[in-house]
Amino acid sequence: MKHVIIGNGIAGVCAAEAIRLLDVKADITLIGDETFPPYSRPMISHVLDGSQPHGKLPIRSEHFYDDQKITPLLGRRAGGIDVANRQVLLADDTRIDFDRLLIAAGADPRPLRAEGLYLKNIFYMRTQDHAKQQVAALDGARRAVVLGGGLVGFKAAYGLLKRGLAVTMLITSGYPLSMQVDETAGRMILDELVRHGLTVEVGVSVCAFEGNGSVQAAVTDAGTRLTCDMVIIGKGVLPACRFIPGAQIEVDLGVVVDEHLQTRAPGIYAAGDVAEMVDIARGCPWVNALWPEAACQGRVAGMNMAGRPVAYPGSLSRNIMRVFDLDVLTVGNANPNKDSGCRVLKAGGAAQQYYRRLVLKDDVLVGAVMINRIEQGGVLRSLIENRIPIRLPPERLMTPGFNFGQLLI
Amino acid sequence: MFDPRESLSVTQDGDRLFAKAQQDGVETVWERHEAQQPQCGFCYMGLSCRICIMGPCRVDPFGEGPQTGVCGADADIIVARNLCRMIAAGAASHSDHGRDLVEVLAGVADGSAIGYKIRDEGKLRRLAEEYGVATEDKEPLAIAGELAQAMMEDYGMRQKAVKMVARAPKKRQAVWEKFGLTPRGIDRETSEMMHRTHMGVDNNWQSLLLQAMRNSLSDGWGGSMIATEVSDILFGVPTPRPTTVNAGVLKEDQVNIVVHGHNPVVSEMVSKACLSKDLVDLAKAKGAGGINLVGVCCTGNELLMRRGIAMAGNHLMTELILSTGAVDMMIVDYQCIMPSLGKVAACYHTRMVSTSDKAKFPHMEHHEFHPHNAEKKAVEVVRAAVENYVNRGKVLIPVASQEAVGGFSVEAIVGALGGTPEPLIEAIKAGKIRGAVGIVGCNNPKIKHDYGHVTLTRRLIENDILVVDTGCVAVATAKAGFKVPAAADMAGAGLKAICKALGIPPVLHMGSCVDNVRILVLVSALADALGVDISDLPVAGSAPEWYSEKAVTIGTYFVASGVTTHLGPMPPITGSMNVVNLLTSGLEDVVGATFSVEPDPEKAAVFLRRTIEGKRKALGLDVRNVE
Amino acid sequence: MKQVVVHPERCVGCMQCMLACATAHSRSLTLLAAVQETPQPKPRIHVGAGRFNEGFPNRCRHCDPAPCQTACLAGAIYRRDSVDTVMINPDRCINCASCAMACPYGVIRFHEDPLGPSGHAIAVKCDNCSARVAKGQTPACVEICKAGALTYEEMDAAMRRKTRDVSRSMSTDADQPTIPAGVALLKSIKQSELQLSGS
């Protein structure tokens, strides 16, 4: 059996490992555009903020491909897929045959439309190379502008603040992480950053960058100039789908897959940031571009490719980050629509430096936001992911003493 | 710092002030109780022993781990010893309270207790007679001095029996003699209890529990009774009078002083100081309408009984009333004062003052009161309270106050009945009143605040059972509106008729926790009038929400005196089914009464009604069926 | 291979296992000295309150596959098959708490550890007392439990015993109730109190 995996991020790596575990003899080829050993992508924000050295990024050894008997094709990007002939076309026109194919091509930063993007010290934040360049640019940098208040933009702003730069963050919603948290939590997080020196501008877009070789200012729609010597653009990611033939393989927000992570084309699977499947909490197709998701999806995809039909219940949004004195953990759908029939429980707030928000649909938990005291977050995530009916008064989940023992009747 | 349960109290001020406390970031007894979970089962079952340092030990209730302590004590002995020490502590507390009053009585006699005086000369003389002090042609002060000396004798080892044992019906005294339960001396029994529970002394669990009963009787017919009687002599016998209760008794436009603790020795002086013209003028000069003195817990009950002074709350309300922000000063003496209060007060402008050399607390200022300086000290602290009025911040007094009637001493009850207990006895014989229950004791976060007290009271009066209450219970039922004459409408037909005829509420406030002895005196009078023992009467006791060691002692002296007593929370005895069985059934054959445990007040009501109907049957009176 | 087996119905909530666990993971290895250490050692077993305030000893199940291992950003979590234990490498851990988000049992805590890198918090969880077991001792929590809530045995033996207990309790001739009378009495009182309070 010839397995080909497009993408050497964690989804591709976990898929390869899963296949190898189940099939000692399988032929596995892994195509990736990064030549660096498989590394922890989320950790690049720890490298930016200075808490971890760049050298700690790899999470598989340099012998990984040899040990797993994988044929690596690194520094190459996929250009297309010939579904009928079961071949992957690389950008240099090489053709790779496959029996089973996994599309784990990941996502790329959403590009910004603005003038002056060619100036030095303007960065996206996605790869270890970005992190390396950003760290190098810190020397001499004093003021930074961050575009975007989502996961990437937020972590970029935090990292730069921790490095001692004066940071201005431009966000569209009233508070950062608006996809993950509700307004109360968002304000608490925002206030924490502001307390540590962040400047925030809401509803402001950048249309151009000015500078002499390196960036010196960001220019907004309103015509104001923000002085800066470093810019990080974190305005989301787009699944890398351009090489995928949409006629045979359905692509919507991402590559659409079923519960076995298989696309519409038999024998072709997708996993990770590129894949779209039902979101457990939202109950509708979604792309959850998150590290633990990619790892799990990759593993399950690999098992299915190796002939073990394993169903994946769907993806689930979840994040955890430490932001100065706040620990923030989010799972599922924190902001249901008013007419969705969801019930929301809240406790704490800014005054208590503690917050917990639970969203329930009927007797099933569909969302949680925790600020501080996050140790039981995994229990809540498990309840959401497994759609376990909550058989105790849901207020119990909010108490300081809540623990797994209370779920046992 | 939050509690997800919808409501922690059956009272409105309880719920509203809890919400305020949360908002203000104030930690209360409920959060601390939650944080303690799970509470250690070894200790909760009475199976852990720390009496000696060959230990500490515990017995595995599941039978696999150790079954005896290092010394060889088994579960029965360990459980019994632990319960005995609780009773000793409770007896010591009440008796020490009595001791302080005897000291004041002696001080009044020799003139050193400035500002205190004999208020009821009649009671002084009657009590002196009981103590064998000749009263003819003697001045009250001389009588007081001799009576004080005689009472001090009760505390020691020179007597065969504590004097007021003689008040109990002869049949009851005979029961005590038979089983070696007659208390010989107040301190003596506590001391012997501590001795017996030392490692290697009394290792027979029945014998230990018998001494515990004797110890409790040295409190009930000794220390506590002395406390109540001497308080009546010094401060007056309570008579029925109107009052108000709940957090609404605090006034936004007046200086609010709260007294907390137990001994009227302190609160009476504070009460006097609050009436001083100089201080009232000072208050007005500070912009207040006057000085508003209110109480919480038993010292508040003492003032309510004698002076109609308002009660702001009971045990679980003591932190919450501080969160009104309206308390300019809280003055405490001893017992049931949570060490958390100083921290709570620090969130507001409230000054906390401790007054007893025996009771010091974190974050409180200490102004020590003694009989010779109490009058002066009271003026000092009240002045400081008035000065603090201008420091108030935001105030939330979340309810309007509730009216109530208190002051039902035995003398007052007999007075209301027309001079003898006959009308009550006739009503009981005729079945209009089925019997009476004394509901006593504290609050406990294990039971929804006041739920036990209010529910049980309601069910009993609905079924024509007269309720008398004391302590925290008395506040709960007053807050619930049971203590106004109109509350008779909540009672069954028979009880309603009697209450309306006499102009009394169906629930009678008999005082503070030491005033539980008034109930002993009342049932003795009823037993004597009927020519029976207390255990034959259609009466029972209940402590639906108790928490303290003092409560265990009170429950024990009630049972030892022949009154079957229900408890809401379980005492730490389940580690020995032998002890459980003795207390809940075996004691019937010893003292004619037992304990029962039932957290649900609805079920407790059924049990108490059955108990009363059972007694009626044995007396040959008419009986009602209880489902 | 023996493993720690939890019998939650026996837990009395005394928390001795927590004290023993923390002590076993200290530098000084005695309770009184361990409490004085800086940083203080912390337990990896956590006794929580159940629905009716009964004790519940919550420890790592050393899952296979382990969700924490899959989720770990730094690759710090690994499985030592020879002792059937999931371990956290304190030097690789970046304290991101992804493992806590993955753990369905909530047994991971974050703090500075006396035997880990100094000056910063890391993820800490049960390590099956590997150091003690290597010396021929039983895990600290098992050794100290006096109520029989934690045992150290082959899983087969534990399951056989449980089957026997259940079948015996079903027999009409059962001479001893599975739960002693005093324990059942206190439990029902506590349940009653909580239900009355509206919990």
Side-chain angles (χ1 to χ4, degrees):
Chain A
M1 186 67 68
K2 218 173 163 333
H3 300 274
V4 173
I5 298 172
I6 302 175
N8 64 343
I10 193 65
V13 163
C14 284
E17 286 172 330
I19 296 170
R20 181 56 71 217
L21 199 62
L22 289 170
D23 187 349
V24 172
K25 295 224 213 31
D27 188 318
I28 307 177
T29 301
L30 197 132
I31 304 166
D33 77 339
E34 293 188 73
T35 53
F36 199 75
Y39 66 94
S40 174
R41 194 178 304 287
M43 222 198 286
I44 64 173
S45 46
H46 291 74
V47 172
L48 174 62
D49 77 19
S51 57
Q52 298 300 328
H54 193 275
K56 245 182 137 172
L57 286 173
I59 42 139
R60 298 292 188 273
S61 84
E62 17 186 46
H63 312 290
F64 167 69
Y65 301 107
D66 284 341
D67 293 342
Q68 298 284 336
K69 299 203 191 354
I70 298 170
T71 310
L73 295 176
L74 304 178
R76 324 277 277 275
R77 271 185 90 100
I81 303 174
D82 183 344
V83 175
N85 292 322
R86 302 189 86 71
Q87 286 179 325
V88 174
L89 286 66
L90 299 185
D92 61 4
D93 289 332
T94 322
R95 287 173 168 266
I96 316 285
D97 297 311
F98 66 82
D99 294 316
R100 300 268 184 280
L101 175 66
L102 174 64
I103 304 169
D108 299 313
R110 181 181 272 115
L112 181 73
R113 280 196 216 296
E115 292 177 29
L117 279 169
Y118 61 88
L119 290 166
K120 275 183 60 181
N121 295 344
I122 297 178
F123 305 106
Y124 290 95
M125 187 149 130
R126 176 76 185 166
T127 66
Q128 54 83 25
D129 195 48
H130 290 146
K132 196 187 281 179
Q133 293 176 43
Q134 286 159 6
V135 169
L138 286 172
D139 202 13
R142 299 227 319 284
R143 313 188 67 84
V145 166
V146 172
L147 277 62
L151 284 166
V152 175
F154 176 82
K155 290 185 190 176
Y158 174 69
L160 294 170
L161 275 176
K162 277 202 82 183
R163 288 283 197 172
L165 271 68
V167 181
T168 303
M169 184 166 81
L170 308 180
I171 62 180
T172 11
S173 313
Y175 52 90
L177 303 178
S178 50
M179 288 300 287
Q180 281 80 22
V181 305
D182 65 306
E183 182 160 359
T184 308
R187 298 231 152 268
M188 285 173 74
I189 296 166
L190 185 58
D191 288 345
E192 182 72 3
L193 290 178
V194 166
R195 201 162 67 84
H196 282 83
L198 179 72
T199 310
V200 181
E201 309 255 2
V202 180
V204 168
S205 302
V206 164
C207 58
F209 296 100
E210 291 175 352
N212 199 350
S214 344
V215 68
Q216 281 164 328
V219 183
T220 72
D221 291 2
T224 45
R225 241 174 207 78
L226 300 164
T227 318
C228 56
D229 29 42
M230 188 162 163
V231 175
I232 298 186
I233 303 166
K235 296 215 56 98
V237 293
L238 295 173
C241 302
R242 240 170 317 161
F243 67 97
I244 296 170
Q248 289 103 331
I249 300 172
E250 188 186 347
V251 176
D252 176 28
L253 301 164
V255 178
V256 178
V257 297
D258 65 12
E259 59 177 0
H260 295 276
L261 298 179
Q262 186 164 220
T263 67
R264 220 199 298 134
I268 300 182
Y269 298 78
D273 291 358
V274 77
E276 172 187 319
M277 65 197 75
V278 74
D279 178 309
I280 295 174
R282 294 172 198 280
C284 64
W286 204 258
V287 174
N288 277 306
L290 299 164
W291 178 263
E293 268 302 320
C296 288
Q297 288 175 25
R299 192 168 145 263
V300 171
M303 290 166 87
N304 281 284
M305 289 163 75
R308 185 81 62 85
V310 175
Y312 192 67
S315 68
L316 182 66
S317 138
R318 56 205 182 271
N319 293 280
I320 175 148
M321 58 207 99
R322 300 196 196 272
V323 183
F324 294 119
D325 290 331
L326 298 182
D327 297 325
V328 182
L329 188 149
T330 70
V331 190
N333 189 359
N335 294 307
N337 292 329
K338 283 206 186 9
D339 53 0
S340 57
C342 288
R343 182 178 151 201
V344 175
L345 298 173
K346 288 188 277 203
Q352 287 94 321
Q353 278 298 284
Y354 163 87
Y355 182 65
R356 199 171 281 193
R357 173 187 176 92
L358 298 181
V359 181
L360 290 128
K361 183 123 202 269
D362 303 319
D363 57 356
V364 169
L365 201 59
V366 297
V369 177
M370 301 166 96
I371 296 190
N372 291 338
R373 288 197 228 138
I374 47 120
E375 294 83 15
Q376 303 303 311
V379 181
L380 299 180
R381 182 209 47 80
S382 172
L383 289 172
I384 295 174
E385 188 169 301
N386 294 294
R387 299 184 56 74
I388 295 177
I390 310 287
R391 299 241 178 275
L392 66 169
E395 289 78 9
R396 286 242 127 233
L397 302 175
M398 311 281 268
T399 60
F402 172 68
N403 64 90
F404 180 80
Q406 295 187 354
L407 298 173
L408 305 173
I409 313 281
Chain B
M1 282 196 291
F2 56 91
D3 190 306
R5 287 175 293 181
E6 270 178 24
S7 163
L8 292 168
S9 173
V10 297
T11 68
Q12 245 184 17
D13 58 349
D15 274 342
R16 288 184 188 169
L17 289 176
F18 180 75
K20 171 134 202 308
Q22 292 228 284
Q23 222 181 326
D24 295 344
V26 170
E27 183 194 70
T28 69
V29 64
W30 286 279
E31 286 97 3
R32 295 189 299 266
H33 184 257
E34 188 73 22
Q36 277 294 327
Q37 303 308 323
Q39 288 175 314
C40 171
F42 289 124
C43 298
Y44 210 153
M45 296 181 72
L47 289 173
S48 67
C49 184
R50 294 168 56 198
I51 283 174
C52 81
I53 213 60
M54 292 202 294
C57 302
R58 56 265 183 275
V59 166
D60 176 16
F62 295 98
E64 285 184 17
Q67 295 301 295
T68 58
V70 175
C71 70
D74 61 13
D76 296 334
I77 297 171
I78 292 176
V79 168
R81 280 199 302 219
N82 286 332
L83 188 67
C84 287
R85 286 204 163 184
M86 288 181 85
I87 290 169
S93 305
H94 288 140
S95 303
D96 213 39
H97 171 146
R99 189 195 324 277
D100 287 342
L101 282 152
V102 172
E103 272 192 351
V104 170
L105 185 65
V108 167
D110 68 25
S112 61
I114 302 166
Y116 295 95
K117 60 182 203 251
I118 308 294
R119 278 236 170 68
D120 196 316
E121 193 182 313
K123 190 144 191 182
L124 171 69
R125 289 181 182 276
R126 285 193 303 278
L127 216 64
E129 300 280 333
E130 271 188 77
Y131 271 82
V133 170
T135 60
E136 260 189 52
D137 301 319
K138 223 180 252 174
E139 286 300 310
L141 290 185
I143 298 174
E146 285 184 51
L147 176 58
Q149 287 302 313
M151 284 177 160
M152 288 180 197
E153 284 296 332
D154 260 355
Y155 278 79
M157 59 181 282
R158 282 205 264 254
Q159 303 188 149
K160 282 230 183 79
V162 160
K163 271 289 183 299
M164 289 193 275
V165 158
R167 290 182 169 190
K170 292 277 181 293
K171 289 191 179 162
R172 181 52 32 182
Q173 295 181 44
V175 167
W176 292 336
E177 275 304 308
K178 179 171 172 197
F179 290 100
L181 297 179
T182 309
R184 300 157 294 171
I186 297 168
D187 287 340
R188 177 182 191 163
E189 302 304 352
T190 298
S191 185
E192 184 166 314
M193 189 79 264
M194 293 304 291
H195 176 192
R196 289 203 196 201
T197 49
H198 188 284
M199 181 340 234
V201 184
D202 197 346
N203 283 287
N204 177 303
W205 59 275
Q206 290 107 320
S207 146
L208 280 164
L209 292 173
L210 284 173
Q211 171 59 19
M213 283 203 285
R214 180 159 65 177
N215 194 182
S216 77
L217 290 169
S218 78
D219 172 3
W221 296 87
S224 283
M225 200 167 272
I226 285 177
T228 290
E229 301 293 66
V230 175
S231 295
D232 281 353
I233 291 171
L234 293 173
F235 308 117
V237 174
T239 54
R241 58 190 63 234
T243 184
T244 49
V245 297
N246 79 25
V249 306
L250 295 169
K251 300 278 172 265
E252 195 157 348
D253 57 350
Q254 295 195 35
V255 176
N256 291 309
I257 301 179
V258 180
V259 280
H260 181 14
H262 283 67
N263 207 320
V265 165
V266 171
S267 54
E268 283 278 339
M269 282 302 163
V270 171
S271 163
K272 200 160 138 184
C274 288
L275 296 170
S276 131
K277 183 174 183 312
D278 286 343
L279 293 176
V280 173
D281 286 343
L282 179 62
K284 293 195 172 133
K286 298 283 176 187
I291 303 178
N292 180 37
L293 176 68
V294 304
V296 291
C297 289
C298 281
T299 202
N301 271 326
E302 301 275 359
L303 291 180
L304 184 154
M305 290 287 282
R306 297 188 175 94
R307 296 171 178 277
I309 285 175
M311 275 289 266
N314 53 16
H315 174 53
L316 289 184
M317 293 297 296
T318 55
E319 288 169 318
L320 297 185
I321 58 140
L322 293 180
S323 69
T324 56
V327 176
D328 301 298
M329 178 179 282
M330 182 182 268
I331 302 169
V332 311
D333 67 332
Y334 46 53
Q335 294 171 26
C336 300
I337 298 153
M338 291 197 261
S340 65
L341 288 178
K343 213 159 102 170
V344 174
C347 298
Y348 308 95
H349 77 299
T350 308
R351 282 178 74 166
M352 296 294 299
V353 170
S354 58
T355 60
S356 170
D357 60 330
K358 297 186 253 225
K360 299 190 179 151
F361 299 86
H363 309 297
M364 288 200 198
E365 318 162 25
H366 192 66
H367 297 262
E368 211 162 281
F369 280 43
H370 290 281
H372 67 272
N373 70 358
E375 191 182 36
K376 208 163 53 113
K377 280 283 179 190
V379 170
E380 276 172 29
V381 298
V382 170
R383 181 186 304 275
V386 171
E387 307 268 356
N388 198 25
Y389 175 76
V390 298
N391 295 324
R392 271 197 205 172
K394 256 180 26 172
V395 163
L396 172 74
I397 299 171
V399 294
S401 62
Q402 163 71 44
E403 285 169 3
V405 174
F408 287 97
S409 56
V410 176
E411 292 89 335
I413 292 176
V414 170
L417 291 169
T420 83
E422 270 314 302
L424 179 59
I425 292 171
E426 285 313 308
I428 291 177
K429 278 187 184 164
K432 288 218 174 99
I433 294 184
R434 310 305 298 166
V437 172
I439 310 184
V440 308
C442 350
N443 290 137
N444 188 321
K446 290 176 164 57
I447 308 269
K448 184 167 176 172
H449 176 240
D450 287 355
Y451 173 69
H453 304 324
V454 171
T455 309
L456 182 63
T457 300
R458 193 192 308 276
R459 290 290 168 255
L460 292 175
I461 62 173
E462 275 170 3
N463 287 285
D464 297 307
I465 294 173
L466 177 68
V467 169
V468 301
D469 58 24
T470 59
C472 286
V473 185
V475 178
T477 56
K479 278 169 77 163
F482 286 117
K483 294 206 162 100
V484 290
D489 289 325
M490 293 195 250
L495 181 60
K496 184 193 322 206
I498 305 284
C499 290
K500 292 209 156 152
L502 297 174
I504 56 172
V507 179
L508 301 180
H509 190 329
M510 289 191 78
S512 65
C513 287
V514 289
D515 290 344
N516 280 317
V517 303
R518 300 193 199 274
I519 302 177
L520 290 179
V521 171
L522 181 63
V523 297
S524 293
L526 294 174
D528 281 339
L530 282 168
V532 299
D533 190 1
I534 295 173
S535 52
D536 299 315
L537 293 172
V539 299
S542 167
E545 300 178 32
W546 72 275
Y547 91 87
S548 71
E549 291 169 309
K550 291 183 294 172
V552 184
T553 315
I554 292 172
T556 307
Y557 73 59
F558 264 56
V559 169
S561 300
V563 179
T564 288
T565 299
H566 150 262
L567 303 174
M570 169 69 85
I573 56 174
T574 52
S576 161
M577 288 312 285
N578 279 334
V579 171
V580 170
N581 290 330
L582 176 64
L583 296 180
T584 56
S585 113
L587 282 183
E588 187 68 46
D589 298 327
V590 181
V591 290
T594 60
F595 285 97
S596 86
V597 178
E598 175 53 70
D600 186 344
E602 299 277 5
K603 294 190 182 141
V606 171
F607 166 77
L608 291 168
R609 286 168 56 206
R610 285 216 179 103
T611 303
I612 283 175
E613 297 298 332
K615 300 285 182 192
R616 291 185 64 85
K617 185 165 180 190
L619 283 174
L621 301 173
D622 74 283
V623 175
R624 268 190 208 163
N625 219 5
V626 178
E627 313 78 52
Chain C
M1 183 171 25
K2 285 193 184 171
Q3 53 183 269
V4 177
V5 182
V6 179
H7 311 269
E9 70 281 3
R10 292 277 184 112
C11 179
V12 295
C14 72
M15 300 185 184
Q16 288 204 104
C17 52
M18 293 169 67
L19 298 183
C21 174
T23 304
H25 292 88
S26 67
R27 289 190 212 115
S28 49
L29 296 177
T30 65
L31 176 62
L32 300 178
V35 167
Q36 313 282 333
E37 287 177 21
T38 312
Q40 246 189 8
K42 301 252 180 272
R44 294 104 189 282
I45 186 170
H46 310 283
V47 176
R51 286 294 307 285
F52 300 108
N53 284 336
E54 67 276 24
F56 181 78
N58 200 16
R59 64 185 285 280
C60 173
R61 278 68 161 164
H62 298 279
C63 310
D64 190 4
C68 56
Q69 185 175 353
T70 314
C72 177
L73 296 193
I77 303 185
Y78 63 100
R79 182 180 205 86
R80 220 192 259 166
D81 282 315
S82 58
V83 287
D84 214 10
T85 300
V86 175
M87 306 282 286
I88 303 180
N89 180 339
D91 298 315
R92 278 210 71 93
C93 173
I94 65 172
N95 195 34
C96 67
S98 299
C99 49
M101 189 165 65
C103 177
Y105 305 110
V107 296
I108 306 182
R109 299 285 182 274
F110 301 89
H111 50 81
E112 197 184 341
D113 193 57
L115 304 174
S118 84
H120 65 95
I122 50 169
V124 180
K125 69 169 193 66
C126 169
D127 62 356
N128 265 336
C129 268
S130 49
R132 285 175 58 98
V133 170
K135 280 189 278 189
Q137 297 171 298
T138 55
C141 57
V142 171
E143 188 182 68
I144 206 156
C145 179
K146 290 289 172 283
L150 297 164
T151 55
Y152 193 54
E153 51 192 329
E154 301 276 345
M155 188 49 97
D156 287 348
M159 285 161 81
R160 245 179 281 132
R161 214 180 54 235
K162 183 82 180 181
T163 310
R164 211 171 48 223
D165 286 346
V166 170
S167 45
R168 278 197 184 141
S169 73
M170 297 281 158
S171 150
T172 43
D173 271 358
D175 52 351
Q176 269 176 327
T178 30
I179 302 179
V183 176
L185 176 57
L186 183 59
K187 189 167 171 191
S188 84
I189 295 278
K190 281 166 73 169
Q191 265 176 263
S192 181
E193 283 170 356
L194 282 162
Q195 275 157 350
L196 289 171
S197 302
S199 291

